[in-house]
Amino acid sequence: MLLEGLNMQATEAAGEIATDTQTLDSLLRHVGHTPGTSVEPFEALIQIKSLPGGYADPKVIAYRKQVSGPCKN
């Protein structure tokens, strides 16, 4: 798992989504994950409201599944 934000608040929000069981379960359902199976690679775009010294309302606004398999030339 790779989490990254444009600033400290965004990175913290991504970590919150990835470690909150209910929020993560919801995200995984949206990308079509079946419980009990491996999670296929995907990317998620998270929006926050940046506040002085923090953030509010982190939510996933878009996602995309990654194509699996070898690269083709």
Side-chain angles (χ1 to χ4, degrees):
M1 181 182 307
L2 176 64
L3 303 172
E4 183 178 357
L6 294 177
N7 58 30
M8 184 179 69
Q9 291 90 350
T11 302
E12 187 176 342
E16 179 181 313
I17 287 174
T19 58
D20 180 75
T21 305
Q22 185 176 8
T23 306
L24 182 58
D25 286 346
S26 175
L27 172 58
L28 292 176
R29 276 193 309 274
H30 279 96
V31 299
H33 173 66
T34 303
T37 64
S38 296
V39 177
E40 296 293 323
F42 70 94
E43 296 176 349
L45 179 62
I46 300 165
Q47 179 182 42
I48 65 168
K49 292 181 183 175
S50 190
L51 304 171
Y55 63 91
D57 301 327
K59 59 185 169 187
V60 176
I61 59 170
Y63 65 87
R64 69 178 179 178
K65 292 183 178 182
Q66 296 294 303
V67 176
S68 60
C71 295
K72 296 179 182 178
N73 292 330

